[in-house]
Amino acid sequence: MRISIYLREPYPIGMACTKRIHLYAKGLIACGNEVKIILPKATETIGSCYNKSVKGIFQGVPYQYSSRTTIRSKYFFTRRVQDFTAFLRSLIILISSKPDIVLLTGSSYIDTICLFAIKLFSKWKFILERSEVPYFNKTSISFINRFFLKKIYSLYDGFIVISEKLKVYLETEIEINRRYHITPILVEPNKDKKEYEKTENIVYTGSLLDYKDGIVVLLKAFSVVLKSNHNIKLVMTGDIEKSRDKKIIIDTINTLKITEFVKFTGYISQEKLTELTYSAKILILAKPLNRQNMYNSATKIGEYLLTGRPVILSNVDTASEELEDNIDVFLAEPSVKAMSEKMKYVISNYEMSLKVGENGKRTAIEKFGF
């Protein structure tokens, strides 16, 4: 079976969506399918280019950018032309691939309309992958948005969703009666047996967005722990310069007077990320309870658990329902008090915490392993 994956995120180096789609592709190929990832736009910026090849094969997965470059122009008008022409070329690539199934991981309404116009003259099956609730950054969906969502989503033949809660939401709230396949967070065990020198770092990896990952609560909780333990540091990946929450994050750090104890790494290679997480004292995620986090699962949870290091999570992620507190992971309410107390507990009972980390690793491989 030929499967084309329509991906609007960077590839092969990218964030959570990129990693998840890469594992989808590897799994589909392992099952005997012919898979190709098509990228309908340039994804890199000048001075911050992690993906340089417009075409290639990454870990057995073929991919192709429809743009003639992976770098987006710095000029507004040129970007509009670049995006439009790249989109048109992506349609040509898609048609020439003659897929049986098109898996979309996100597209604009214009993309969707054009793609489904092609479907009228083909036998393609269209599947939408959803890892988050629609309009996740809003507290609710307006009647108009709900109307358009229902119309657009009704065009798809099926959905891949990351949680049972998200499936129920689409079925009941948006009223989409289609075939669903639930694929939870996926992890690929690290085959490298390299030993990493252990550090006193408490590590967070992600996009540095407060609404999504509770960065301010994490900083405040860390500052509480820091008062009784000056050996620890908080290391955070992601590009602070590109975070829309840069001001509130920097202001919080300055107000708490913890600048010398907090380090931002920027985006780092997979090799450096592996070293950072496998050498960490603690891996942490303080996701707040909101509409976005009620229905999704953070890919980074699986990656955290694979390290075998102690992992502290706020208990709002759907993946935490698969884990046991003090057995596989350390769960806490997403508050400064609860998160700081959990950090203190893990540090004070570290030998026991390491055993919990090893249990978490085994559980991740059993439940989420690729």
Side-chain angles (χ1 to χ4, degrees):
M1 185 174 293
R2 292 192 184 94
I3 301 174
S4 293
I5 301 178
Y6 198 80
L7 177 64
R8 297 184 66 86
E9 298 291 327
Y11 189 85
I13 299 172
M15 299 294 286
C17 179
T18 299
K19 294 176 182 178
R20 185 172 61 255
I21 296 306
H22 176 65
L23 291 181
Y24 282 174
K26 288 187 71 173
L28 290 168
I29 290 171
C31 292
N33 298 289
E34 183 181 323
V35 179
K36 183 176 185 179
I37 294 177
I38 299 171
L39 300 107
K41 59 180 287 188
T43 59
E44 311 300 295
T45 56
I46 297 173
S48 182
C49 180
Y50 300 95
N51 298 290
K52 298 179 180 179
S53 299
V54 295
K55 186 176 183 180
I57 298 176
F58 178 67
Q59 294 182 356
V61 179
Y63 68 93
Q64 182 175 354
Y65 279 83
S66 59
S67 51
R68 293 192 174 94
T69 174
T70 62
I71 301 176
R72 290 173 61 77
S73 172
K74 63 180 180 179
Y75 301 109
F76 177 82
F77 179 75
T78 306
R79 285 199 305 272
R80 303 285 80 76
V81 175
Q82 185 183 45
D83 289 347
F84 179 71
T85 55
F87 171 65
L88 291 180
R89 284 195 292 269
S90 74
L91 297 182
I92 295 172
I93 295 170
L94 196 60
I95 293 171
S96 64
S97 298
K98 298 179 180 180
D100 299 296
I101 294 175
V102 179
L103 173 61
L104 290 96
T105 60
S107 59
S108 68
Y109 284 146
I110 294 177
D111 287 357
T112 304
I113 291 171
C114 291
L115 288 168
F116 277 99
I118 295 174
K119 185 184 178 183
L120 295 175
F121 305 97
S122 70
K123 296 181 179 180
W124 300 352
K125 296 291 184 182
F126 277 63
I127 307 296
L128 181 64
E129 192 269 351
R130 291 295 320 186
S131 60
E132 292 189 304
V133 69
Y135 297 99
F136 58 80
N137 57 346
K138 297 180 181 295
T139 56
S140 62
I141 301 181
S142 68
F143 173 80
I144 296 297
N145 286 339
R146 191 184 301 273
F147 173 80
F148 277 108
L149 270 177
K150 185 173 182 178
K151 293 297 182 183
I152 293 295
Y153 279 15
S154 296
L155 296 173
Y156 288 94
D157 298 289
F159 294 82
I160 297 174
V161 294
I162 202 165
S163 69
E164 175 69 25
K165 286 183 178 179
L166 184 52
K167 171 181 177 291
V168 172
Y169 176 88
L170 294 176
E171 286 181 322
T172 59
E173 296 295 321
I174 310 301
E175 299 178 344
I176 303 299
N177 183 21
R178 289 291 186 274
R179 295 184 64 179
Y180 289 87
H181 181 78
I182 300 172
T183 301
I185 58 175
L186 297 174
V187 297
E188 187 172 24
N190 183 17
K191 297 177 182 179
D192 183 6
K193 301 299 182 181
K194 182 178 178 180
E195 290 292 328
Y196 295 95
E197 183 178 349
K198 300 303 182 281
T199 67
E200 293 297 308
N201 296 334
I202 296 176
V203 173
Y204 157 86
T205 67
S207 52
L208 297 173
L209 297 175
D210 186 55
Y211 180 80
K212 179 182 178 184
D213 283 354
I215 305 301
V216 172
V217 165
L218 174 55
L219 289 168
K220 290 180 177 179
F222 171 74
S223 72
V224 172
V225 179
L226 192 60
K227 292 176 182 178
S228 58
N229 190 331
H230 284 78
N231 294 321
I232 59 175
K233 289 186 180 295
L234 179 61
V235 181
M236 312 178 82
T237 67
D239 192 341
I240 186 63
E241 297 300 323
K242 292 184 177 180
S243 171
R244 64 171 176 262
D245 295 326
K246 175 184 175 181
K247 185 178 187 307
I248 188 173
I249 291 172
I250 298 300
D251 287 349
T252 300
I253 292 172
N254 291 336
T255 300
L256 295 171
K257 298 179 179 180
I258 58 174
T259 305
E260 63 181 296
F261 298 98
V262 178
K263 177 183 178 182
F264 295 103
T265 68
Y267 288 120
I268 56 179
S269 67
Q270 184 59 52
E271 291 76 15
K272 290 184 178 180
L273 181 63
T274 298
E275 181 179 359
L276 179 66
T277 54
Y278 276 74
S279 64
K281 188 177 189 71
I282 298 171
L283 294 158
I284 194 164
L285 179 60
K287 292 176 69 171
L289 180 60
N290 55 39
R291 184 169 168 274
Q292 179 180 14
N293 292 333
M294 285 172 59
Y295 301 96
N296 72 354
S297 293
T299 301
K300 66 173 70 71
I301 292 177
E303 296 172 345
Y304 280 7
L305 292 170
L306 279 183
T307 67
R309 311 304 290 163
V311 176
I312 299 175
L313 305 175
S314 55
N315 57 0
V316 303
D317 194 288
T318 58
S320 67
E321 298 172 2
E322 301 289 326
L323 305 168
E324 293 187 61
D325 187 25
N326 292 337
I327 301 296
D328 309 302
V329 71
F330 296 96
L331 299 174
E333 294 292 325
S335 68
V336 174
K337 184 175 185 295
M339 295 300 291
S340 61
E341 287 181 350
K342 191 65 74 169
M343 278 191 272
K344 289 179 181 178
Y345 177 82
V346 171
I347 293 171
S348 299
N349 301 274
Y350 200 65
E351 288 303 314
M352 180 276 291
S353 299
L354 287 172
K355 294 178 181 178
V356 172
E358 286 299 321
N359 288 340
K361 179 178 179 178
R362 285 192 290 270
T363 299
I365 293 172
E366 292 172 2
K367 294 187 175 183
F368 310 129
F370 173 77

